[in-house]
Amino acid sequence: MYKNKKGQPIESIEQNPSQESSRPSRGISRRSFLSVSMLTGCAALGVPLQAGALSEFKGWPKSYGMLTDFTACVGCRSCEEACNKANGMPAPDKPFTDDSVFRESRWPSAAALTVVNRFENPKDKTKPTYRKVQCNHCLEPACASACPIHAYTKTPEGAVIYNEDLCFGCRYCVIACPFNIPGYSYESALEPKIIKCTLCHVRVSKGQIPACADACPAGAITYGKREDLLKIARKRIEDNPDKYIEHIYGEREVGGTSWLYISGVPFEQLGFPSNLPKKPLLELTEGYLSAVPVIFTTFPAIFGLVYSAMKHHTKKAGKEEEHGHLKEDDNE
Amino acid sequence: MSPSEYSRSLITPFNLIAASILATSLPIFIARYGKGLASVLDATNEYPWGLLLSWGIFAGEPLFAAGFVVAAGYYLFGMKTYRPLVRLAVLGGMLGYAFAASYLLIDLGRPWRIYYPMLINFGPSSVLFIVAWHVALYVTVQLMEFSPAILEWLGSKRLHKWAVSVTVALIIGGVILSTVHQSALGAMYLITPGKLHPLWYSAHLPLLFFSSAVYAAMAFAIILSFVAVRYFRERCDNEFISNIPAVTLSLGKGAAVAMYIYFALKVIALAQDDRWGLLLTPFGYWYLVELLGFIAVPMALFSIAVKTENLTLVRFASLWAVFGIVLNRVNVNLIAFNWNMPEHFERIIPSSGEVIMILAMVTLHILVFRWILNRFPVTKELPEYKGSH
């Protein structure tokens, strides 16, 4: 499972080595890279490039993802530390070995792309459950469909990445994200930007695996093809029905996410939203968006007709009419 | 008036209050642009938008639909009595939209990139993309709709003739752009089913936002016309003043009908999603306050006022309806948004900097409105252009 895909999007990265290496931590790519990457990705992954394929896009079929097993997590925060280093983030106030952070409820932000929180385990009070959160890399991301400048891209490899060079900072992606994930560097006056997990897009492109999965000593984070991860998750649940609840979070939520979770504690008790639709959120706005052209084509006709009818009516009523304009009689 | 007389005439209680608000806000605006958003806002991952946008854009824009509703009433639907009010309503709309864009320039992380959705890269799957384009186009259309007043002020007769000749096309364009963008403001929340409280979340959000904008616009036009005759009487001609009672009643009647439609749509949305059970929760009570207290009550007041031809009551109902629309938008944006987040109510309280910036923007808005109304032929017709629109 820890094996990497061979050959495909890596070559496209190398076309832009200077740009990528100048910002190795951020995983933000230029459009040129993205388009090349999409094409090579399509070719290598065998995605049919037919016109019809886009209208019924159901996610990149052979994309990679992550599986977090909360029953295995021991709360060592190695993943947080590895993430911090891999992304070149500033050191936190408290060291990663300091357990006192578990007393507060933390959330990913512009300062940390992933955090681990401690929850009480109702099954066994002595053995708390630890929850790691970060961007879930939705198969059809709401953030990407909400962005008015198309600064987000769902890569064929699985990551949802963001290009700060396009962003004007409206933060509608933050509103749209069902998991409240994108952080924004509000403290920056000149270069504020969205900061979130990139599924270590740059590391993956170099043939490495995401830093958190690499660092986890407990085997709680598995990197691999999403469809394989689903099989692993199902098998674990099947083999240990007492240990796990029967729910793979992320399999269907908002149309599926690249990051999957299995747990011994119900997900809503771990702060995962349980009220999300099973279909991608962008489908909820499709109907409206398709109505806009209808308004543009029918309204001129409707209101033009109303205007003509009114003019005709006014004319018939014997009122003044001049050069196609309604004219008032100046009675005061 | 000599310059010294003029400057002395500026010292009025209102101006002094306005000046002190603007002076207080200055360091806050400097901090916002000099040190970043974090220095003035409490924005987070969960609450990226605060009262600044709720008030400045979501609550403001339905009111500023006044321009398109009154202009469409007069030019397209033959509501002759609206004629003296058209320019004032268009001014109210145009200025309102310009200020809405200014609120955005405060809140955007990198406001100098505001043109990016138009020129740099396109996100057509985004409802905000639709909003951005329509607001930009509509501000332009409104400026063109208002341009006859500016050209009369400048005395440019030839351009004026040309500007007047395209009026009907502009009005129809304005109706389209307004319809789309008012509804798009509601459609922006279609993507948040997990975050917006189910009583406010509805597949009909676009329709609800649009239909409420219609009555909000009428209520705002009533208030604008009242402000004009009450505080700018010397700037109004006889036609304007003598038409006010008829216009107020006509708009009041329109607002009553529009509110009946809106009220029905709200109830239908509730029934369609079968949310009745939620009415007996704390959020349900709050929903009923909005539905009954701020939609049904002003709706009834409008009906009674129009029936009894009570102008004061029409104006009072308008003010109430405007409060209702602000409440609805703040509910969708802030109060019912992320309602299940821990410590939700503590976290939606705006920072003092945010409140001061809003006060400053409102003050500026009034000052600019006053400046224009005192100079341009808005509520009066210049004799040489009489009857040209």
Side-chain angles (χ1 to χ4, degrees):
Chain A
M1 278 326 297
Y2 281 74
K3 294 288 175 292
N4 278 293
K5 55 199 170 331
K6 284 186 189 116
Q8 28 98 2
I10 297 164
E11 68 221 4
S12 55
I13 283 263
E14 284 163 356
Q15 297 179 341
N16 261 336
S18 57
Q19 287 183 349
E20 288 304 317
S21 59
S22 66
R23 261 191 268 155
S25 58
R26 193 57 65 229
I28 296 158
S29 314
R30 298 295 189 278
R31 266 174 295 165
S32 59
F33 156 61
L34 291 177
S35 54
V36 174
S37 161
M38 300 267 254
L39 286 175
T40 53
C42 287
L45 293 163
V47 179
L49 279 169
Q50 295 142 359
L54 282 171
S55 60
E56 280 189 33
F57 182 69
K58 285 289 168 225
W60 299 104
K62 291 191 177 157
S63 66
Y64 284 71
M66 298 278 244
L67 173 65
T68 306
D69 186 339
F70 291 141
T71 65
C73 179
V74 293
C76 67
R77 299 177 66 210
S78 308
C79 52
E80 282 189 41
E81 186 171 13
C83 175
N84 178 288
K85 292 221 167 74
N87 290 291
M89 312 281 285
D93 298 339
K94 293 176 179 171
F96 288 104
T97 48
D98 188 345
D99 272 2
S100 68
V101 295
F102 287 131
R103 275 185 233 126
E104 53 189 306
S105 173
R106 297 180 305 142
W107 196 253
S109 66
L113 309 187
T114 184
V115 295
V116 178
N117 280 287
R118 183 162 65 195
F119 286 81
E120 195 174 89
N121 183 355
K123 285 182 190 163
D124 182 356
K125 299 262 192 252
T126 60
K127 201 169 165 285
T129 297
Y130 295 95
R131 175 203 68 181
K132 175 190 188 301
V133 274
Q134 71 300 304
C135 173
N136 288 322
H137 301 276
C138 303
L139 298 183
E140 293 183 64
C143 55
S145 64
C147 179
I149 321 184
H150 210 312
Y152 283 89
T153 307
K154 173 75 178 175
T155 67
E157 303 89 77
V160 176
I161 55 172
Y162 155 87
N163 183 353
E164 68 164 285
D165 294 336
L166 293 176
C167 175
F168 69 172
C170 68
R171 283 118 58 213
Y172 185 38
C173 53
V174 187
I175 291 280
C177 174
F179 305 108
N180 295 308
I181 288 301
Y184 196 68
S185 48
Y186 292 98
E187 52 291 322
S188 170
L190 293 176
E191 291 183 323
K193 56 178 178 251
I194 291 290
I195 297 178
K196 71 167 198 73
C197 164
T198 61
L199 204 62
C200 281
H201 185 65
V202 173
R203 279 174 61 99
V204 167
S205 304
K206 287 182 196 148
Q208 294 167 288
I209 70 165
C212 57
D214 201 19
C216 181
I221 312 170
T222 314
Y223 176 72
K225 279 198 179 125
R226 185 175 183 270
E227 46 197 60
D228 296 334
L229 294 175
L230 278 170
K231 282 179 201 149
I232 295 173
R234 279 198 204 99
K235 186 158 191 321
R236 283 194 201 163
I237 294 173
E238 206 173 294
D239 291 347
N240 306 283
D242 300 333
K243 193 173 164 192
Y244 294 99
I245 56 151
E246 213 180 316
H247 184 178
I248 304 170
Y249 197 95
E251 183 181 11
R252 295 190 201 289
E253 280 76 10
V254 292
T257 58
S258 290
W259 209 296
L260 304 164
Y261 306 84
I262 48 176
S263 165
V265 180
F267 286 101
E268 55 268 31
Q269 291 177 26
L270 299 175
F272 282 77
S274 56
N275 59 350
L276 296 178
K278 300 288 180 248
K279 62 179 174 184
L281 297 180
L282 70 98
E283 285 183 15
L284 297 166
T285 56
E286 271 174 0
Y288 176 75
L289 290 174
S290 57
V292 173
V294 179
I295 293 175
F296 266 86
T297 45
T298 56
F299 271 34
I302 295 170
F303 287 97
L305 206 65
V306 169
Y307 172 68
S308 311
M310 278 296 168
K311 210 172 85 176
H312 183 68
H313 178 75
T314 320
K315 210 172 174 181
K316 261 179 104 178
K319 297 219 172 159
E320 237 186 301
E321 197 262 336
E322 188 188 65
H323 301 301
H325 289 290
L326 286 177
K327 191 170 188 274
E328 290 299 294
D329 20 357
D330 296 329
N331 49 348
E332 272 166 39
Chain B
M1 223 187 311
S2 73
S4 66
E5 274 171 352
Y6 177 71
S7 52
R8 237 174 297 135
S9 77
L10 286 178
I11 302 174
T12 62
F14 175 82
N15 283 357
L16 289 177
I17 295 169
S20 62
I21 291 175
L22 293 181
T24 317
S25 73
L26 200 63
I28 301 195
F29 281 110
I30 290 171
R32 184 265 165 265
Y33 291 105
K35 292 193 228 153
L37 284 166
S39 59
V40 292
L41 301 179
D42 291 336
T44 59
N45 290 24
E46 290 91 348
Y47 299 92
W49 293 349
L51 191 64
L52 192 71
L53 285 190
S54 276
W55 166 264
I57 293 188
F58 287 92
E61 294 204 346
L63 309 181
F64 309 141
F68 107 85
V69 170
V70 174
Y74 171 63
Y75 285 105
L76 304 180
F77 292 99
M79 309 291 284
K80 299 275 168 58
T81 46
Y82 291 4
R83 194 173 94 102
L85 187 58
V86 169
R87 265 194 193 169
L88 181 65
V90 169
L91 169 65
M94 180 188 75
L95 199 58
Y97 272 78
F99 267 88
S102 313
Y103 281 96
L104 196 61
L105 287 175
I106 300 174
D107 198 75
L108 281 182
R110 302 195 196 188
W112 51 92
R113 288 180 172 179
I114 192 164
Y115 63 94
Y116 269 33
M118 280 93 204
L119 289 175
I120 303 300
N121 209 23
F122 308 123
S125 68
S126 168
V127 181
L128 188 56
F129 179 75
I130 305 282
V131 174
W133 266 91
H134 286 76
V135 171
L137 289 173
Y138 189 46
V139 170
T140 315
V141 165
Q142 280 189 315
L143 190 63
M144 288 170 78
E145 283 176 16
F146 189 68
S147 65
I150 301 172
L151 295 168
E152 282 168 23
W153 184 59
L154 292 171
S156 172
K157 287 209 168 174
R158 193 182 299 168
L159 270 177
H160 178 267
K161 204 171 172 188
W162 183 86
V164 169
S165 70
V166 294
T167 303
V168 172
L170 284 178
I171 300 297
I172 296 181
V175 170
I176 295 172
L177 296 170
S178 280
T179 307
V180 172
H181 116 85
Q182 293 288 352
S183 55
L185 286 173
M188 283 183 71
Y189 281 85
L190 289 176
I191 206 163
T192 62
K195 292 169 134 183
L196 183 57
H197 189 283
L199 280 171
W200 281 271
Y201 184 87
S202 159
H204 301 302
L205 271 172
L207 193 55
L208 291 172
F209 267 55
F210 172 72
S211 59
S212 53
V214 172
Y215 80 73
M218 291 176 176
F220 189 64
I222 291 169
I223 294 171
L224 270 186
S225 62
F226 173 70
V227 168
V229 287
R230 180 85 172 70
Y231 299 102
F232 297 89
R233 203 171 185 90
E234 73 285 4
R235 295 292 305 164
C236 303
D237 60 10
N238 282 334
E239 194 198 351
F240 186 89
I241 294 169
S242 61
N243 252 305
I244 285 297
V247 171
T248 304
L249 287 178
S250 170
L251 283 171
K253 198 191 281 179
V257 173
M259 289 193 90
Y260 282 118
I261 296 172
Y262 178 61
F263 185 82
L265 286 172
K266 282 285 262 190
V267 176
I268 290 169
L270 206 59
Q272 205 164 9
D273 298 333
D274 197 16
R275 308 280 197 225
W276 302 106
L278 289 172
L279 288 178
L280 296 176
T281 61
F283 268 96
Y285 305 142
W286 183 238
Y287 183 84
L288 289 174
V289 167
E290 184 195 319
L291 185 72
L292 302 177
F294 287 89
I295 300 168
V297 169
M299 178 175 91
L301 288 181
F302 270 125
S303 311
I304 296 165
V306 170
K307 197 81 191 149
T308 58
E309 302 199 346
N310 183 339
L311 293 182
T312 314
L313 192 58
V314 175
R315 287 164 184 156
F316 181 69
S318 301
L319 207 57
W320 201 324
V322 165
F323 278 132
I325 211 80
V326 173
L327 178 69
N328 173 259
R329 300 309 195 254
V330 171
N331 273 339
V332 170
N333 288 290
L334 282 182
I335 296 175
F337 189 77
N338 269 334
W339 60 286
N340 47 9
M341 201 57 75
E343 292 159 12
H344 170 62
F345 293 107
E346 287 87 340
R347 297 176 68 181
I348 57 172
I349 296 171
S351 68
S352 58
E354 199 169 2
V355 174
I356 293 170
M357 286 195 291
I358 290 172
L359 284 176
M361 290 299 280
V362 172
T363 309
L364 266 182
H365 197 153
I366 295 171
L367 290 177
V368 175
F369 179 77
R370 188 179 71 174
W371 188 86
I372 295 177
L373 211 54
N374 276 335
R375 279 159 188 80
F376 292 80
V378 176
T379 48
K380 66 158 98 176
E381 273 186 301
L382 297 178
E384 63 266 41
Y385 295 98
K386 198 131 187 80
S388 65
H389 75 278

